Amino acid sequence: MSAGVFAKAPSAAEDCASCHNKNGISDDEDIPTIAGASTFFLENQMFIFKDGARPCAKEEFGEEEHEGIAEDHCDLAKDLSENEITELAAYFSDQPFESADQKVDEDLAGMGAQIHEQRCEKCHSDGGSLALDDAGILAGQWKAYLVRTMQDYKNGDRWQPEKMQPAMEALSEKDINALAEYYAREGKK
């Protein structure tokens, strides 16, 4: 991405770029790609961080390259104004999504496809690839991030829509891994 494109970014995007990169495309399997997600979804996530209603990813902020930015996502978000949140969400939603380059276990992905169809497709349509769902882009997202996030949902450590809770609680560890493989495969299409 050229410096000219990033120059149009709101100043608060500098802090986001230290983990998510300037274009919102993560190169770390533990950090999600935020590029291309809907503005509504990104705003919502920042407000959830601001309220401390999801894991704040403190462990990511302890790494040397992220020191001094903030203590964690919640700390970073609490200092953002509503206008800054809106600007950040608009900026990153305008960046094109790019799927993570990762290997896929086809057998587990096939199992994940069935689970997705039964439990997830209603809100995460087209294999979890549509930003218009306002539910985050799952197809092509890092598997490690997806597994950790689904475990957080299952364990009640992260806010989720009420209708999603029974589906998450019913997932086994193998189901979670299968869904992550499925979404990784969907990102290659």
Side-chain angles (χ1 to χ4, degrees):
M1 170 173 276
S2 72
V5 173
F6 194 62
K8 297 175 188 173
S11 61
E14 289 287 338
D15 290 340
C16 303
S18 65
C19 295
H20 298 281
N21 292 319
K22 292 177 182 180
N23 58 3
I25 299 170
S26 170
D27 54 13
D28 183 325
E29 68 178 14
D30 292 318
I31 297 172
T33 289
I34 58 175
S38 76
T39 302
F40 172 82
F41 175 79
L42 292 171
E43 285 178 350
N44 190 42
Q45 296 310 299
M46 285 186 264
F47 282 116
I48 292 170
F49 275 131
K50 193 171 183 126
D51 292 340
R54 66 173 279 184
C56 298
K58 189 173 190 140
E59 64 281 358
E60 301 299 332
F61 282 75
E63 295 177 8
E64 190 173 309
E65 67 268 23
H66 308 298
E67 282 185 21
I69 295 170
E71 187 174 312
D72 56 33
H73 276 103
C74 299
D75 185 46
L76 185 66
K78 79 176 180 185
D79 292 331
L80 294 172
S81 69
E82 285 189 31
N83 189 51
E84 287 173 315
I85 288 174
T86 299
E87 289 175 348
L88 282 169
Y91 171 74
F92 284 111
S93 72
D94 282 345
Q95 306 307 308
F97 182 85
E98 187 176 300
S99 293
D101 184 21
Q102 51 195 338
K103 292 180 181 178
V104 174
D105 179 321
E106 287 297 331
D107 291 337
L108 272 178
M111 181 181 159
Q114 293 175 347
I115 296 167
H116 173 84
E117 181 65 34
Q118 294 168 354
R119 300 183 185 181
C120 311
E121 179 67 26
K122 185 174 182 180
C123 297
H124 299 280
S125 59
D126 204 16
S129 67
L130 297 180
L132 296 175
D133 286 340
D134 290 333
I137 299 173
L138 304 178
Q141 195 58 263
W142 286 106
K143 293 186 296 186
Y145 169 76
L146 288 172
V147 167
R148 186 179 77 241
T149 299
M150 286 187 271
Q151 288 170 339
D152 286 344
Y153 284 138
K154 180 179 173 68
N155 297 332
D157 295 332
R158 180 172 172 174
W159 179 89
Q160 61 189 309
E162 192 174 309
K163 62 185 174 184
M164 191 169 140
Q165 188 174 2
M168 295 307 300
E169 288 175 350
L171 295 176
S172 69
E173 187 173 329
K174 186 174 183 178
D175 293 341
I176 288 172
N177 288 317
L179 280 168
E181 293 292 336
Y182 167 70
Y183 295 129
R185 184 180 75 188
E186 288 301 290
K188 294 179 180 281
K189 291 182 176 182

